[in-house]
Amino acid sequence: MQTISVNQLHKTFTMGTVQVPVLKDLNFNIQPGEFVSIMGPSGCGKSTLLYLLGGLDSPTQGDITINNRLLSRLKDKEKSLMRKRDLGFVFQFYNLVPNLSVEDNILLPIVLDKKNIKDYKNKLEELLTVIDMTDKRHHTPRELSGGQQQRVAIARALIFDPDILLLDEPTGNLDTKNSIEIMSLFKKINQTYNKTIIQVTHSKEFAEYGTRIIKLKDGQIENETLTKASS
């Protein structure tokens, strides 16, 4: 069973009277537990594809199926619920609330979804251990390095225990050392928890942390290759 299936996917943007095709006839499947890196030059449609997979935008044509649910048939409320509970998003910018502590930032999706925080106490402790920040649980973002802030954002994305993580240039604001640490953390999450991970990246080095690379060019799939991590 595929976690994600993409069939004849097209996306066109309208700029004034001009139609600009960004994605053209994409077809691919992603299996449960895969770690797929989407690569390509700027403007090739990488981030657009990620937003479509996350239900943040709708395709002009074609279908996306996630966990046997056709996105085009979901109501807005159902899509919103899916984004909250089935998908975890990690972006280039950490988007942490400055005046909240590490643990409060991690628990923010629980609060917004009006769940009981006490029910997630064990999950919070587990995630603080996974990101190696138990000793900084009461710190605020301004007291953390960029790499530490991204770790908090990762834990926040995992608090609902989603099947799928979507990463948009997750190391884009980090130096090399922190980038390697963050990519190693994603690899650990993928292997230990069997999370399906899809990342958009410009970096061939960081793409190799995944098990498969889908390379886009001019809105189309140029090629797909397995990485050393897949063996």
Side-chain angles (χ1 to χ4, degrees), residues 24-225:
K24 310 164 192 173
D25 196 27
L26 301 190
N27 296 275
F28 61 88
N29 296 317
I30 296 176
Q31 306 298 330
E34 271 199 281
F35 187 161
V36 176
S37 299
I38 300 171
M39 286 194 69
S42 296
C44 72
K46 300 187 301 297
S47 291
T48 298
L49 175 56
L50 198 74
Y51 297 153
L52 292 174
L53 294 174
L56 297 169
D57 197 0
S58 299
T60 306
Q61 184 181 329
D63 295 318
I64 298 173
T65 303
I66 296 180
N67 291 339
N68 294 319
R69 288 175 294 175
L70 194 62
L71 290 192
S72 61
R73 293 184 181 174
L74 296 181
K75 297 177 181 177
D76 288 343
K77 189 174 181 180
E78 292 172 320
K79 279 187 183 180
S80 178
L81 195 62
M82 182 191 72
R83 285 193 294 268
K84 285 180 183 177
R85 300 180 183 176
D86 299 339
L87 303 173
F89 294 86
V90 180
F91 299 99
Q92 177 177 343
F93 300 100
Y94 322 122
N95 299 320
L96 303 180
V97 180
N99 61 330
L100 293 184
S101 67
V102 164
E103 63 177 26
D104 286 341
N105 266 289
I106 294 172
L107 289 168
L108 188 58
I110 306 300
V111 174
L112 294 176
D113 208 39
K114 299 180 180 178
K115 301 291 184 185
N116 191 335
I117 289 177
K118 292 180 181 178
D119 293 338
Y120 290 84
K121 181 180 178 182
N122 290 339
K123 188 65 179 177
L124 172 63
E125 297 301 329
E126 177 187 2
L127 290 173
L128 285 168
T129 300
V130 168
I131 66 172
D132 193 24
M133 290 188 63
T134 302
D135 60 334
K136 290 183 170 55
R137 63 192 306 148
H138 299 303
H139 286 52
T140 58
R142 66 177 60 90
E143 300 173 281
L144 306 176
S145 68
Q148 290 170 332
Q149 289 187 59
Q150 189 63 297
R151 286 172 180 267
V152 177
I154 292 167
R156 181 182 58 194
L158 289 168
I159 191 65
F160 272 125
D161 201 22
D163 293 327
I164 302 166
L165 284 180
L166 300 175
L167 321 177
D168 191 7
E169 297 282 3
T171 62
N173 279 338
L174 301 177
D175 59 26
T176 301
K177 179 179 178 294
N178 278 300
S179 294
I180 290 171
E181 290 178 356
I182 290 297
M183 291 312 305
S184 297
L185 177 58
F186 282 129
K187 189 171 183 178
K188 176 183 176 182
I189 290 167
N190 170 246
Q191 295 177 342
T192 304
Y193 297 98
N194 199 38
K195 298 295 183 188
T196 303
I197 297 180
I198 304 158
Q199 74 155 335
V200 160
T201 180
H202 283 91
S203 168
K204 182 70 164 63
E205 176 187 356
F206 298 142
E208 292 285 343
Y209 278 80
T211 53
R212 179 160 56 113
I213 298 173
I214 297 175
K215 190 172 182 182
L216 297 184
K217 184 177 180 180
D218 298 329
Q220 297 178 300
I221 295 177
E222 184 177 30
N223 59 57
E224 295 185 45
T225 56

